[in-house]
Amino acid sequence: MSTILAARYHQGKPQAAATDSSSNGVDFQDIHHQASNTYKKKRYFKHIHCQYSPVCLILSPLALLLLGTGIAAMLVALIGIPKMTITTTTTATTATTATTTTATTTTATTTTATTTTTATTTTATTSTTISPVGIYALTISTCATWNDTGLTMGGNSNGIPGSNLESLSTPVSIFIDNDDNLFVCDRDNVRILKFTPNSTTGIIVAGNGTAGNESNQLRGPKGVAIDQYGDIIVADSDNNRIQKFVNGSTSGITLASNSSINPLGQMKDLHIDVNNNIYVTDYDNNQVVKFIPFSSIGVVVAGGRPAGPGTNQLSGPFGNFVDPNGTLYVADDQNFRVMKYFPGSLNGTIVAGNGTAGSNAYQLTRSMSIIVDNNGYIYVADYGNARVMRWTTNYAAGGVCVIGCTGTSGGAATQLRNPRDLKFDRHGNIYLTDQGNHRIQKFLIQGCSSKSPK
């Protein structure tokens, strides 16, 4: 999550430019015709000798008057055209229609005004009323470390599960927005909780606490993110569907679901990129699927083949992460590694883990989720080893433990038990789903130390 969000959708250039170019073509033709007509008029007037004729002296002012009246009428008509097209916007951008001052066909003018107005209005609304979320301008040092002692931000610090608003039961994915609000996928309580800063009492923002497939229900939610409009997107895993909860609403809208043309199995994670594309990790089908806005049919961007260890295969994938350049990272759990995919490629590169389970600096035991910082360093929730490992861009050097480095699993503030997900906040602090302890822990960023990568 390593850069500030940029603009969400590309805009086309105003169509007036096309009208301008065609207008230039008309002008050249007019020049040709005018030259031809002038020559013909000169030949004609040679025969009627009108230079000092009384008739010409009388008719000339009248002709000028009529010509001026015609030009005025044309200008009034041209000025009136843009006013007719300003229907749904108050922005000044509709002034671009005023450039159509020559060939004023109704079709060209109407099309230009409508297209320009619609695109500009959408962009203005997005940029002025919506704050981008999920991708921060991180400035984490290459030698940064994090405090060994975690702070409990959600759930009970003693590791006891529960169903009240201060408790969690087997939490899964988390998300932190630009205002430091924490969203938790509280799996066994079938709900999404929101914890505002400095509060350990959650607010239910999706799901009603009972498992089901109604629009206000969830079943086994395992992924949550906030899109660029402030809406909550949930991987409703056991219902095999992706749900959107418009900001302030507890009734979900189905964006995509399992079907014969769109297989969607058990989703283990959900991520939204800077262009509002949704990425879900489909564990059952060993693939990561991308859904572009307004489409319910996914595109496979990693895996999609039978499970295996090949660079074009995945085996039981869990977490995924997409950086602002569109590079995809996948926690390939059953292959004990992390894969990196450049945009458009289904062949990945191993960037963490060596493909065998273990606890040394080159190994992982169940890689569950990943995040990437502004340096391109990869952080892995090593579920089986109860730790968080960091790999630099020098993959061959192995990883370094940054959180949960006691070597044992447990419930102390310095320990983890089955870390399931991790995210940065905008300050560079790491939030971690300590799933086996039914809590969300926050580890504060601090200075460099001897365990930092060189």
Side-chain angles (χ1 to χ4, degrees):
M1 307 154 108
S2 55
T3 185
I4 301 179
L5 294 181
R8 297 298 176 260
Y9 299 102
H10 296 292
Q11 304 180 48
K13 293 183 179 180
Q15 298 296 322
T19 306
D20 290 341
S21 63
S22 62
S23 298
N24 291 336
V26 172
D27 290 342
F28 287 131
Q29 292 177 1
D30 288 344
I31 291 169
H32 172 71
H33 291 312
Q34 287 171 7
S36 178
N37 290 338
T38 300
Y39 177 73
K40 291 177 181 178
K41 287 177 182 178
K42 285 181 179 178
R43 294 185 60 190
Y44 176 79
F45 280 113
K46 282 182 181 179
H47 295 289
I48 64 174
H49 303 288
C50 190
Q51 187 173 4
Y52 298 106
S53 170
V55 176
C56 289
L57 292 175
I58 293 171
L59 292 178
S60 294
L62 181 59
L64 291 172
L65 178 62
L66 291 173
L67 179 61
T69 303
I71 292 172
M74 290 174 65
L75 290 173
V76 169
L78 287 172
I79 292 171
I81 289 173
K83 291 181 181 179
M84 296 293 291
T85 61
I86 300 173
T87 55
T88 60
T89 181
T90 58
T91 61
T93 54
T94 52
T96 55
T97 57
T99 58
T100 57
T101 57
T102 52
T104 57
T105 62
T106 303
T107 302
T109 303
T110 303
T111 302
T112 299
T114 302
T115 302
T116 303
T117 302
T118 302
T120 304
T121 302
T122 301
T123 302
T125 301
T126 301
S127 61
T128 57
T129 63
I130 308 272
S131 296
V133 294
I135 302 291
Y136 307 110
L138 293 172
T139 54
I140 296 175
S141 169
T142 56
C143 61
T145 62
W146 285 260
N147 195 295
D148 293 329
T149 302
L151 305 172
T152 301
M153 308 303 292
N156 298 310
S157 59
N158 60 9
I160 303 299
S163 59
N164 59 36
L165 295 178
E166 291 77 29
S167 302
L168 300 170
S169 183
T170 318
V172 187
S173 296
I174 56 175
F175 185 90
I176 301 94
D177 69 14
N178 279 347
D179 297 318
D180 296 330
N181 294 306
L182 167 66
F183 296 81
V184 181
C185 222
D186 190 8
R187 191 192 72 185
D188 290 355
N189 286 322
V190 287
R191 64 190 182 184
I192 306 298
L193 287 182
K194 174 183 176 180
F195 294 88
T196 58
N198 304 315
S199 175
T200 56
T201 299
I203 302 166
I204 298 176
V205 292
N208 64 3
T210 60
N213 59 8
E214 299 297 326
S215 62
N216 65 338
Q217 293 179 306
L218 301 169
R219 180 181 282 117
K222 295 184 179 72
V224 62
I226 311 300
D227 71 10
Q228 274 65 43
Y229 300 98
D231 301 329
I232 302 169
I233 312 299
V234 180
D236 189 11
S237 190
D238 291 354
N239 281 324
N240 303 102
R241 65 184 183 181
I242 301 172
Q243 294 290 89
K244 177 174 80 170
F245 294 84
V246 175
N247 194 0
S249 173
T250 55
S251 182
I253 301 167
T254 300
L255 300 180
S257 60
N258 182 46
S259 68
S260 59
I261 61 172
N262 187 64
L264 197 58
Q266 274 278 326
M267 293 171 284
K268 298 296 186 180
D269 197 13
L270 179 149
H271 186 87
I272 300 177
D273 71 10
V274 295
N275 295 312
N276 238 28
N277 299 307
I278 298 171
Y279 296 76
V280 293
T281 308
D282 184 346
Y283 182 90
D284 292 342
N285 294 305
N286 301 297
Q287 63 189 17
V288 176
V289 182
K290 172 183 175 180
F291 293 87
I292 65 173
F294 312 114
S295 174
S296 60
I297 304 299
V299 177
V300 176
V301 290
R305 299 170 178 269
T311 57
N312 62 350
Q313 293 177 295
L314 297 170
S315 183
F318 264 72
N320 75 73
F321 180 88
V322 184
D323 73 16
N325 298 315
T327 303
L328 171 68
Y329 298 80
V330 181
D332 191 10
D333 179 40
Q334 294 303 301
N335 280 324
F336 312 105
R337 65 187 185 183
V338 174
M339 300 296 290
K340 177 180 179 180
Y341 299 84
F342 290 107
S345 175
L346 290 174
N347 281 303
T349 303
I350 300 174
V351 291
N354 64 4
T356 60
S359 59
N360 67 34
Y362 300 91
Q363 293 176 307
L364 298 166
T365 301
R366 303 208 64 189
S367 53
M368 300 295 272
S369 64
I370 64 272
I371 51 176
V372 181
D373 70 13
N374 53 287
N375 304 300
Y377 292 178
I378 301 162
Y379 300 74
V380 186
D382 189 3
Y383 188 88
N385 288 318
R387 65 185 182 181
V388 174
M389 295 289 286
R390 173 171 59 186
W391 261 264
T392 70
T393 52
N394 181 13
Y395 159 71
V400 174
C401 182
V402 292
I403 293 173
C405 305
T406 62
T408 58
S409 173
T414 57
Q415 292 178 305
L416 303 173
R417 182 177 282 118
N418 305 132
R420 176 62 175 81
D421 194 18
L422 73 169
K423 294 289 190 299
F424 286 118
D425 69 9
R426 60 195 173 99
H427 311 287
N429 303 311
I430 292 179
Y431 284 68
L432 187 71
T433 301
D434 189 9
Q435 189 177 70
N437 286 319
H438 308 282
R439 65 189 182 186
I440 309 300
Q441 298 288 86
K442 176 181 177 180
F443 295 86
L444 299 175
I445 191 170
Q446 57 186 20
C448 300
S449 77
S450 59
K451 69 178 180 180
S452 302
K454 303 301 182 184

